[in-house]
Amino acid sequence: MSNLPLALRELLARETVIALPQIVKRYRSGDGTVRYVLALPAAHASAEGQAAKSATVEAVFMPEENRQTICISTQAGCAVDCHFCLTATLGLIRNLSAAEIIGQVLIALEENRASLKPQTNVVLMGQGEPLLNYEPVMAALRILLDPNGMAITPKHTTLSTSGIIPGIERLGGEKVRPKLAISLNASSNEQRDKIMPINRKYPIEDLLEACMRYPLRPWEHLTFEYVLLGGFNDAPEDARRVAKLLATLRAKVNLIPWNPGELPYKKPDAAGIEEFRRILEDKGVRAFVRYSRGQDVMAACGQLALLESAAASPFEQISPAQ
Ligand code: SF4
């Protein structure tokens, strides 16, 4: 760019970087899902003025018949400490910059260029609590959702939160925003306190009030995610309580059977899962069972913790130079 003044070129060379995250490893699941382990060099973070240490995060590419879904991380690790989530075991390493968040989408699309379907869904459900890294997440979303940017539609983009009320309120005021999903996972405060310590700060009744006030667009509904932890929150009375909690909201529930990982919860049984769903539906709450993709390569919900996966085959490791 020799038409720029020399001093500006020198400043740009010194202080900016144009690069994608580097793929350290790819794990391919039998169901087509690919989990990418991505190295984020220290320099990426300096533009946002955060601690510029290097970090490693994960993104997951899930191909389907007519679309692909890309699950991205917004922080390296996470401070929220949900007890069913392996990412929590890492603690918060650092926030990602907008470039690092967008870079995960770009790299997943680039890697799978030969087989892309017309529709791309992006879900902010990887490592981190997006609403605790608000500015970079919104900067990334504005580029993702801009028709002159990556042109992904708001209907195909979902931000998932553990229930950070100030962030939900702020998001509701944004001109450009994704759909909102809330990780509920319990039918009472007593239960939610045990698995999501954030509930002590933002208890269920306050969270649902914030949801009531949230300005849904005409086509939009809220999604509540409910990880079914066998023997803990999957009883019929839990389903009845959840139905009561959500009765007045324009909402649907995604039931996610617990992915057996390294944490001490049981896999819920199939009949119990179906009964839970049926109780919600009978009480007028739309409910779907979502089986996580990529379980064999530790790419499923709550499993992103940079773990090696014995079952992952084939396993590829590439050098940073590639
Ligand atoms: S579920 Fe989400 S918010 Fe909770 S610890 Fe895991 S990454 Fe953080």
mmCIF file of all heavy atoms in Angstrom, residues 238-274:
data_model
loop_
_atom_site.group_PDB
_atom_site.id
_atom_site.type_symbol
_atom_site.label_atom_id
_atom_site.label_comp_id
_atom_site.label_asym_id
_atom_site.label_seq_id
_atom_site.Cartn_x
_atom_site.Cartn_y
_atom_site.Cartn_z
ATOM 1 N N ASP A 238 -39.565 -31.790 37.718
ATOM 2 C CA ASP A 238 -38.724 -30.717 37.162
ATOM 3 C C ASP A 238 -39.370 -30.166 35.887
ATOM 4 O O ASP A 238 -39.420 -28.961 35.680
ATOM 5 C CB ASP A 238 -37.319 -31.241 36.824
ATOM 6 C CG ASP A 238 -36.499 -31.528 38.068
ATOM 7 O OD1 ASP A 238 -36.390 -30.629 38.913
ATOM 8 O OD2 ASP A 238 -35.974 -32.646 38.191
ATOM 9 N N ALA A 239 -39.839 -31.076 35.032
ATOM 10 C CA ALA A 239 -40.465 -30.652 33.779
ATOM 11 C C ALA A 239 -41.684 -29.771 34.067
ATOM 12 O O ALA A 239 -41.881 -28.731 33.423
ATOM 13 C CB ALA A 239 -40.882 -31.871 32.960
ATOM 14 N N ARG A 240 -42.469 -30.155 35.072
ATOM 15 C CA ARG A 240 -43.665 -29.364 35.402
ATOM 16 C C ARG A 240 -43.270 -27.974 35.910
ATOM 17 O O ARG A 240 -43.876 -26.967 35.559
ATOM 18 C CB ARG A 240 -44.534 -30.106 36.428
ATOM 19 C CG ARG A 240 -45.334 -31.247 35.776
ATOM 20 C CD ARG A 240 -46.345 -31.862 36.718
ATOM 21 N NE ARG A 240 -45.748 -32.906 37.540
ATOM 22 C CZ ARG A 240 -45.608 -34.175 37.152
ATOM 23 N NH1 ARG A 240 -46.051 -34.574 35.980
ATOM 24 N NH2 ARG A 240 -45.038 -35.062 37.948
ATOM 25 N N ARG A 241 -42.211 -27.927 36.728
ATOM 26 C CA ARG A 241 -41.760 -26.612 37.242
ATOM 27 C C ARG A 241 -41.219 -25.740 36.104
ATOM 28 O O ARG A 241 -41.482 -24.546 36.052
ATOM 29 C CB ARG A 241 -40.687 -26.798 38.322
ATOM 30 C CG ARG A 241 -41.253 -27.110 39.707
ATOM 31 C CD ARG A 241 -40.213 -26.873 40.789
ATOM 32 N NE ARG A 241 -39.122 -27.829 40.706
ATOM 33 C CZ ARG A 241 -39.040 -28.950 41.415
ATOM 34 N NH1 ARG A 241 -39.999 -29.260 42.273
ATOM 35 N NH2 ARG A 241 -38.020 -29.760 41.283
ATOM 36 N N VAL A 242 -40.463 -26.350 35.172
ATOM 37 C CA VAL A 242 -39.910 -25.578 34.045
ATOM 38 C C VAL A 242 -41.061 -25.020 33.205
ATOM 39 O O VAL A 242 -41.053 -23.847 32.808
ATOM 40 C CB VAL A 242 -38.970 -26.454 33.177
ATOM 41 C CG1 VAL A 242 -38.602 -25.746 31.883
ATOM 42 C CG2 VAL A 242 -37.714 -26.810 33.958
ATOM 43 N N ALA A 243 -42.080 -25.851 32.974
ATOM 44 C CA ALA A 243 -43.229 -25.395 32.177
ATOM 45 C C ALA A 243 -43.886 -24.192 32.841
ATOM 46 O O ALA A 243 -44.264 -23.223 32.173
ATOM 47 C CB ALA A 243 -44.236 -26.534 32.012
ATOM 48 N N LYS A 244 -43.996 -24.232 34.173
ATOM 49 C CA LYS A 244 -44.619 -23.127 34.902
ATOM 50 C C LYS A 244 -43.755 -21.867 34.796
ATOM 51 O O LYS A 244 -44.262 -20.762 34.575
ATOM 52 C CB LYS A 244 -44.777 -23.539 36.370
ATOM 53 C CG LYS A 244 -45.872 -22.834 37.081
ATOM 54 C CD LYS A 244 -46.168 -23.534 38.380
ATOM 55 C CE LYS A 244 -46.945 -22.582 39.269
ATOM 56 N NZ LYS A 244 -47.024 -23.060 40.632
ATOM 57 N N LEU A 245 -42.440 -22.037 34.927
ATOM 58 C CA LEU A 245 -41.537 -20.883 34.855
ATOM 59 C C LEU A 245 -41.646 -20.165 33.512
ATOM 60 O O LEU A 245 -41.591 -18.944 33.436
ATOM 61 C CB LEU A 245 -40.073 -21.334 35.046
ATOM 62 C CG LEU A 245 -39.641 -21.782 36.447
ATOM 63 C CD1 LEU A 245 -38.227 -22.373 36.395
ATOM 64 C CD2 LEU A 245 -39.671 -20.599 37.421
ATOM 65 N N LEU A 246 -41.784 -20.958 32.434
ATOM 66 C CA LEU A 246 -41.707 -20.383 31.094
ATOM 67 C C LEU A 246 -43.073 -20.093 30.480
ATOM 68 O O LEU A 246 -43.160 -19.639 29.330
ATOM 69 C CB LEU A 246 -40.918 -21.321 30.163
ATOM 70 C CG LEU A 246 -39.498 -21.709 30.645
ATOM 71 C CD1 LEU A 246 -38.794 -22.540 29.588
ATOM 72 C CD2 LEU A 246 -38.669 -20.476 30.980
ATOM 73 N N ALA A 247 -44.131 -20.341 31.254
ATOM 74 C CA ALA A 247 -45.488 -20.304 30.697
ATOM 75 C C ALA A 247 -45.807 -18.999 29.971
ATOM 76 O O ALA A 247 -46.487 -19.003 28.945
ATOM 77 C CB ALA A 247 -46.506 -20.547 31.802
ATOM 78 N N THR A 248 -45.316 -17.864 30.486
ATOM 79 C CA THR A 248 -45.737 -16.590 29.893
ATOM 80 C C THR A 248 -44.738 -16.045 28.875
ATOM 81 O O THR A 248 -44.903 -14.932 28.376
ATOM 82 C CB THR A 248 -45.942 -15.530 30.994
ATOM 83 O OG1 THR A 248 -44.740 -15.462 31.754
ATOM 84 C CG2 THR A 248 -47.112 -15.884 31.889
ATOM 85 N N LEU A 249 -43.703 -16.808 28.570
ATOM 86 C CA LEU A 249 -42.675 -16.318 27.638
ATOM 87 C C LEU A 249 -42.861 -16.901 26.245
ATOM 88 O O LEU A 249 -43.351 -18.029 26.099
ATOM 89 C CB LEU A 249 -41.285 -16.720 28.139
ATOM 90 C CG LEU A 249 -40.768 -15.974 29.378
ATOM 91 C CD1 LEU A 249 -39.575 -16.706 29.962
ATOM 92 C CD2 LEU A 249 -40.395 -14.545 29.006
ATOM 93 N N ARG A 250 -42.468 -16.120 25.227
ATOM 94 C CA ARG A 250 -42.432 -16.687 23.864
ATOM 95 C C ARG A 250 -41.103 -17.431 23.762
ATOM 96 O O ARG A 250 -40.064 -16.840 23.496
ATOM 97 C CB ARG A 250 -42.512 -15.561 22.837
ATOM 98 C CG ARG A 250 -42.894 -16.054 21.464
ATOM 99 C CD ARG A 250 -43.530 -14.943 20.661
ATOM 100 N NE ARG A 250 -42.558 -14.196 19.908
ATOM 101 C CZ ARG A 250 -42.568 -12.881 19.721
ATOM 102 N NH1 ARG A 250 -43.514 -12.151 20.264
ATOM 103 N NH2 ARG A 250 -41.647 -12.287 18.998
ATOM 104 N N ALA A 251 -41.174 -18.722 24.002
ATOM 105 C CA ALA A 251 -39.920 -19.448 24.184
ATOM 106 C C ALA A 251 -40.043 -20.892 23.738
ATOM 107 O O ALA A 251 -41.142 -21.435 23.632
ATOM 108 C CB ALA A 251 -39.527 -19.409 25.658
ATOM 109 N N LYS A 252 -38.910 -21.481 23.457
ATOM 110 C CA LYS A 252 -38.857 -22.934 23.271
ATOM 111 C C LYS A 252 -37.721 -23.475 24.134
ATOM 112 O O LYS A 252 -36.848 -22.713 24.571
ATOM 113 C CB LYS A 252 -38.656 -23.287 21.806
ATOM 114 C CG LYS A 252 -37.307 -22.911 21.279
ATOM 115 C CD LYS A 252 -37.010 -23.604 19.956
ATOM 116 C CE LYS A 252 -35.580 -23.285 19.553
ATOM 117 N NZ LYS A 252 -35.033 -24.004 18.483
ATOM 118 N N VAL A 253 -37.770 -24.764 24.370
ATOM 119 C CA VAL A 253 -36.748 -25.392 25.212
ATOM 120 C C VAL A 253 -35.989 -26.424 24.385
ATOM 121 O O VAL A 253 -36.597 -27.247 23.695
ATOM 122 C CB VAL A 253 -37.397 -26.086 26.438
ATOM 123 C CG1 VAL A 253 -36.345 -26.809 27.273
ATOM 124 C CG2 VAL A 253 -38.133 -25.061 27.297
ATOM 125 N N ASN A 254 -34.673 -26.338 24.438
ATOM 126 C CA ASN A 254 -33.848 -27.398 23.866
ATOM 127 C C ASN A 254 -33.341 -28.274 25.000
ATOM 128 O O ASN A 254 -32.619 -27.807 25.884
ATOM 129 C CB ASN A 254 -32.638 -26.807 23.126
ATOM 130 C CG ASN A 254 -33.015 -26.299 21.746
ATOM 131 O OD1 ASN A 254 -34.085 -26.623 21.221
ATOM 132 N ND2 ASN A 254 -32.148 -25.494 21.156
ATOM 133 N N LEU A 255 -33.759 -29.522 24.987
ATOM 134 C CA LEU A 255 -33.307 -30.478 26.005
ATOM 135 C C LEU A 255 -32.045 -31.157 25.493
ATOM 136 O O LEU A 255 -32.038 -31.719 24.393
ATOM 137 C CB LEU A 255 -34.394 -31.516 26.266
ATOM 138 C CG LEU A 255 -35.715 -30.944 26.791
ATOM 139 C CD1 LEU A 255 -36.809 -32.010 26.765
ATOM 140 C CD2 LEU A 255 -35.539 -30.395 28.207
ATOM 141 N N ILE A 256 -30.980 -31.071 26.256
ATOM 142 C CA ILE A 256 -29.694 -31.617 25.813
ATOM 143 C C ILE A 256 -29.273 -32.715 26.775
ATOM 144 O O ILE A 256 -28.821 -32.435 27.893
ATOM 145 C CB ILE A 256 -28.618 -30.496 25.777
ATOM 146 C CG1 ILE A 256 -29.125 -29.325 24.926
ATOM 147 C CG2 ILE A 256 -27.282 -31.023 25.258
ATOM 148 C CD1 ILE A 256 -28.419 -28.014 25.194
ATOM 149 N N PRO A 257 -29.475 -33.980 26.383
ATOM 150 C CA PRO A 257 -29.058 -35.064 27.278
ATOM 151 C C PRO A 257 -27.568 -34.941 27.611
ATOM 152 O O PRO A 257 -26.757 -34.649 26.739
ATOM 153 C CB PRO A 257 -29.355 -36.327 26.463
ATOM 154 C CG PRO A 257 -30.415 -35.896 25.487
ATOM 155 C CD PRO A 257 -30.094 -34.468 25.150
ATOM 156 N N TRP A 258 -27.238 -35.095 28.861
ATOM 157 C CA TRP A 258 -25.879 -34.929 29.364
ATOM 158 C C TRP A 258 -24.886 -35.782 28.573
ATOM 159 O O TRP A 258 -25.093 -36.958 28.332
ATOM 160 C CB TRP A 258 -25.838 -35.313 30.840
ATOM 161 C CG TRP A 258 -24.472 -35.536 31.395
ATOM 162 C CD1 TRP A 258 -23.965 -36.704 31.885
ATOM 163 C CD2 TRP A 258 -23.435 -34.562 31.536
ATOM 164 N NE1 TRP A 258 -22.680 -36.516 32.305
ATOM 165 C CE2 TRP A 258 -22.327 -35.202 32.104
ATOM 166 C CE3 TRP A 258 -23.336 -33.196 31.229
ATOM 167 C CZ2 TRP A 258 -21.137 -34.544 32.366
ATOM 168 C CZ3 TRP A 258 -22.146 -32.548 31.491
ATOM 169 C CH2 TRP A 258 -21.076 -33.216 32.059
ATOM 170 N N ASN A 259 -23.813 -35.125 28.157
ATOM 171 C CA ASN A 259 -22.742 -35.843 27.460
ATOM 172 C C ASN A 259 -21.791 -36.417 28.480
ATOM 173 O O ASN A 259 -21.115 -35.653 29.161
ATOM 174 C CB ASN A 259 -21.937 -34.867 26.606
ATOM 175 C CG ASN A 259 -22.788 -34.273 25.530
ATOM 176 O OD1 ASN A 259 -23.417 -34.985 24.771
ATOM 177 N ND2 ASN A 259 -22.827 -32.952 25.472
ATOM 178 N N PRO A 260 -21.739 -37.719 28.588
ATOM 179 C CA PRO A 260 -20.828 -38.267 29.594
ATOM 180 C C PRO A 260 -19.416 -37.750 29.329
ATOM 181 O O PRO A 260 -18.887 -37.907 28.242
ATOM 182 C CB PRO A 260 -20.911 -39.773 29.393
ATOM 183 C CG PRO A 260 -22.024 -39.996 28.445
ATOM 184 C CD PRO A 260 -22.347 -38.718 27.756
ATOM 185 N N GLY A 261 -18.864 -37.074 30.269
ATOM 186 C CA GLY A 261 -17.503 -36.551 30.122
ATOM 187 C C GLY A 261 -16.732 -36.980 31.341
ATOM 188 O O GLY A 261 -16.906 -38.089 31.849
ATOM 189 N N GLU A 262 -15.955 -36.054 31.841
ATOM 190 C CA GLU A 262 -15.138 -36.413 32.995
ATOM 191 C C GLU A 262 -15.810 -35.972 34.291
ATOM 192 O O GLU A 262 -15.193 -36.028 35.344
ATOM 193 C CB GLU A 262 -13.797 -35.721 32.855
ATOM 194 C CG GLU A 262 -13.102 -36.074 31.556
ATOM 195 C CD GLU A 262 -11.604 -36.070 31.680
ATOM 196 O OE1 GLU A 262 -11.101 -35.217 32.428
ATOM 197 O OE2 GLU A 262 -10.966 -36.921 31.057
ATOM 198 N N LEU A 263 -17.046 -35.501 34.209
ATOM 199 C CA LEU A 263 -17.683 -34.955 35.397
ATOM 200 C C LEU A 263 -18.713 -35.947 35.949
ATOM 201 O O LEU A 263 -19.218 -36.797 35.223
ATOM 202 C CB LEU A 263 -18.346 -33.614 35.044
ATOM 203 C CG LEU A 263 -17.352 -32.553 34.521
ATOM 204 C CD1 LEU A 263 -18.085 -31.332 34.011
ATOM 205 C CD2 LEU A 263 -16.354 -32.158 35.587
ATOM 206 N N PRO A 264 -19.052 -35.823 37.239
ATOM 207 C CA PRO A 264 -19.804 -36.885 37.915
ATOM 208 C C PRO A 264 -21.315 -36.817 37.732
ATOM 209 O O PRO A 264 -22.043 -36.734 38.704
ATOM 210 C CB PRO A 264 -19.434 -36.671 39.389
ATOM 211 C CG PRO A 264 -19.248 -35.193 39.487
ATOM 212 C CD PRO A 264 -18.680 -34.754 38.171
ATOM 213 N N TYR A 265 -21.803 -36.828 36.475
ATOM 214 C CA TYR A 265 -23.248 -36.876 36.266
ATOM 215 C C TYR A 265 -23.581 -38.091 35.413
ATOM 216 O O TYR A 265 -22.751 -38.575 34.649
ATOM 217 C CB TYR A 265 -23.744 -35.600 35.582
ATOM 218 C CG TYR A 265 -23.554 -34.378 36.428
ATOM 219 C CD1 TYR A 265 -22.535 -33.480 36.142
ATOM 220 C CD2 TYR A 265 -24.370 -34.142 37.526
ATOM 221 C CE1 TYR A 265 -22.334 -32.355 36.936
ATOM 222 C CE2 TYR A 265 -24.171 -33.019 38.315
ATOM 223 C CZ TYR A 265 -23.156 -32.131 38.021
ATOM 224 O OH TYR A 265 -22.962 -31.036 38.800
ATOM 225 N N LYS A 266 -24.849 -38.527 35.548
ATOM 226 C CA LYS A 266 -25.264 -39.714 34.782
ATOM 227 C C LYS A 266 -25.894 -39.293 33.461
ATOM 228 O O LYS A 266 -26.454 -38.205 33.341
ATOM 229 C CB LYS A 266 -26.321 -40.489 35.584
ATOM 230 C CG LYS A 266 -25.737 -41.342 36.688
ATOM 231 C CD LYS A 266 -26.805 -42.261 37.258
ATOM 232 C CE LYS A 266 -27.861 -41.451 38.000
ATOM 233 N NZ LYS A 266 -28.923 -42.208 38.618
ATOM 234 N N LYS A 267 -25.859 -40.199 32.516
ATOM 235 C CA LYS A 267 -26.565 -39.980 31.269
ATOM 236 C C LYS A 267 -28.056 -40.222 31.536
ATOM 237 O O LYS A 267 -28.410 -41.264 32.109
ATOM 238 C CB LYS A 267 -26.032 -41.003 30.255
ATOM 239 C CG LYS A 267 -26.380 -40.684 28.851
ATOM 240 C CD LYS A 267 -25.747 -41.682 27.924
ATOM 241 C CE LYS A 267 -26.303 -41.429 26.538
ATOM 242 N NZ LYS A 267 -25.826 -42.324 25.548
ATOM 243 N N PRO A 268 -28.937 -39.302 31.166
ATOM 244 C CA PRO A 268 -30.365 -39.558 31.422
ATOM 245 C C PRO A 268 -30.890 -40.675 30.519
ATOM 246 O O PRO A 268 -30.379 -40.869 29.421
ATOM 247 C CB PRO A 268 -31.019 -38.220 31.056
ATOM 248 C CG PRO A 268 -30.063 -37.551 30.146
ATOM 249 C CD PRO A 268 -28.688 -38.047 30.471
ATOM 250 N N ASP A 269 -31.918 -41.425 31.007
ATOM 251 C CA ASP A 269 -32.383 -42.531 30.153
ATOM 252 C C ASP A 269 -33.408 -42.036 29.128
ATOM 253 O O ASP A 269 -34.086 -41.016 29.326
ATOM 254 C CB ASP A 269 -32.939 -43.694 30.991
ATOM 255 C CG ASP A 269 -34.226 -43.321 31.673
ATOM 256 O OD1 ASP A 269 -35.273 -43.335 31.003
ATOM 257 O OD2 ASP A 269 -34.177 -42.991 32.880
ATOM 258 N N ALA A 270 -33.497 -42.773 28.031
ATOM 259 C CA ALA A 270 -34.268 -42.324 26.866
ATOM 260 C C ALA A 270 -35.745 -42.097 27.204
ATOM 261 O O ALA A 270 -36.342 -41.099 26.769
ATOM 262 C CB ALA A 270 -34.121 -43.335 25.732
ATOM 263 N N ALA A 271 -36.338 -43.005 27.995
ATOM 264 C CA ALA A 271 -37.756 -42.856 28.318
ATOM 265 C C ALA A 271 -37.982 -41.590 29.149
ATOM 266 O O ALA A 271 -38.954 -40.849 28.943
ATOM 267 C CB ALA A 271 -38.248 -44.083 29.082
ATOM 268 N N GLY A 272 -37.077 -41.317 30.073
ATOM 269 C CA GLY A 272 -37.182 -40.124 30.924
ATOM 270 C C GLY A 272 -37.067 -38.850 30.096
ATOM 271 O O GLY A 272 -37.779 -37.869 30.346
ATOM 272 N N ILE A 273 -36.180 -38.858 29.109
ATOM 273 C CA ILE A 273 -35.992 -37.683 28.242
ATOM 274 C C ILE A 273 -37.295 -37.392 27.500
ATOM 275 O O ILE A 273 -37.771 -36.264 27.443
ATOM 276 C CB ILE A 273 -34.849 -37.931 27.221
ATOM 277 C CG1 ILE A 273 -33.507 -38.084 27.931
ATOM 278 C CG2 ILE A 273 -34.783 -36.813 26.184
ATOM 279 C CD1 ILE A 273 -32.376 -38.610 27.047
ATOM 280 N N GLU A 274 -37.885 -38.457 26.940
ATOM 281 C CA GLU A 274 -39.108 -38.291 26.169
ATOM 282 C C GLU A 274 -40.262 -37.827 27.067
ATOM 283 O O GLU A 274 -41.067 -36.968 26.676
ATOM 284 C CB GLU A 274 -39.445 -39.612 25.454
ATOM 285 C CG GLU A 274 -40.700 -39.593 24.602
ATOM 286 C CD GLU A 274 -40.821 -38.375 23.668
ATOM 287 O OE1 GLU A 274 -39.776 -37.839 23.231
ATOM 288 O OE2 GLU A 274 -41.966 -37.951 23.398
#
